[in-house]
Amino acid sequence: MLAIAAGLYTGTAPVNSQSADERAGALRTALGQVVIKLSGDPGVLSRPDVAKAIARADRYMQQYSYQPNNQAASADSAQAGARLLLVVQFDRAGIDAMLHDLNLDGAGNSAAPPGADSAAAPAALPGSYRLWISGLRSAEDYARLIGALSGNEQVRALHVEQAHGNTVQVKVDTRGSLQNLLAALDATRLAHATNARPPVAGVDALLDFEP
């Protein structure tokens, strides 16, 4: 079952059943969440061209799963009574292409307003970092780690450099800063940093794998 993650290309929607009709509407809701996250504009869904694109949500779906809705008893009318939560992972390339066609920012942040301080820009530039990850107990853990890293929105490229016992060293080319990458890994409950400035030559962060 796909774990709920704070990924930029993951959206959720409450549903009462796993029927195709209800899933179709929930897919549109989930895609709307993703478009808002990536554009940074809560009002973007009111645009007719955006609404038209979201109506074709099924073409951007990569995978989906259902999870128990822990907010079923919420006072929020959008959540109340819904037994399940549809969790949808959308195709990154397809979404980025759609947002480009809609003149929206597909990098996960709204465009900087005119006159914005350009000195802050380097913090969002891509980077390359070495991570030393420990706590791997089996081949399944290794496969889960590499698969999750490869599919993370913050990761552009991944290279496994060495592995010893229950640890692995990887070089990760990112879309942003090391801090953003570590936050993304922590949010998905994949691994958490034990030392973001380790006393190890050539290594940028030490992490513990979360089984």
Side-chain angles (χ1 to χ4, degrees):
M1 182 175 289
L2 180 68
I4 297 177
L8 293 175
Y9 297 82
T10 301
T12 64
V15 292
N16 286 307
S17 71
Q18 299 185 24
S19 70
D21 288 343
E22 191 166 10
R23 182 169 62 250
L27 281 174
R28 294 191 290 271
T29 299
L31 179 56
Q33 287 182 1
V34 170
V35 170
I36 289 174
K37 282 191 291 186
L38 290 167
S39 67
D41 180 4
V44 71
L45 301 186
S46 63
R47 283 176 41 178
D49 55 343
V50 175
K52 183 177 180 180
I54 288 176
R56 301 189 293 268
D58 58 323
R59 69 169 58 181
Y60 302 107
M61 180 188 69
Q62 191 171 59
Q63 61 180 333
Y64 69 88
S65 67
Y66 293 92
Q67 297 192 8
N69 181 16
N70 295 327
Q71 301 298 320
S74 170
D76 184 346
S77 59
Q79 299 282 345
R83 298 186 304 104
L84 301 170
L85 200 64
L86 178 68
V87 184
V88 187
Q89 176 67 38
F90 292 98
D91 177 67
R92 182 190 316 182
I95 295 297
D96 285 350
M98 177 190 74
L99 296 179
H100 176 75
D101 292 341
L102 294 170
N103 294 317
L104 296 171
D105 180 11
N109 296 289
S110 56
D117 184 1
S118 60
L125 293 177
S128 183
Y129 308 99
R130 280 187 171 86
L131 309 179
W132 186 252
I133 306 169
S134 61
L136 302 175
R137 302 174 302 175
S138 63
E140 288 76 13
D141 284 352
Y142 176 86
R144 177 179 163 232
L145 172 68
I146 300 305
L149 280 173
S150 299
N152 192 284
E153 288 85 359
Q154 291 290 330
V155 175
R156 294 187 298 116
L158 174 68
H159 309 278
V160 178
E161 296 187 321
Q162 57 179 305
H164 299 286
N166 69 340
T167 62
V168 62
Q169 179 177 305
V170 297
K171 182 180 180 183
V172 180
D173 297 334
T174 69
R175 301 177 186 279
S177 67
L178 175 61
Q179 182 179 4
N180 288 345
L181 172 63
L182 296 179
L185 298 180
D186 186 63
T188 58
R189 299 184 182 277
L190 176 69
H192 64 275
T194 56
N195 190 346
R197 298 193 176 202
V200 180
V203 176
D204 297 291
L206 302 179
L207 299 94
D208 280 339
F209 177 76
E210 296 188 18

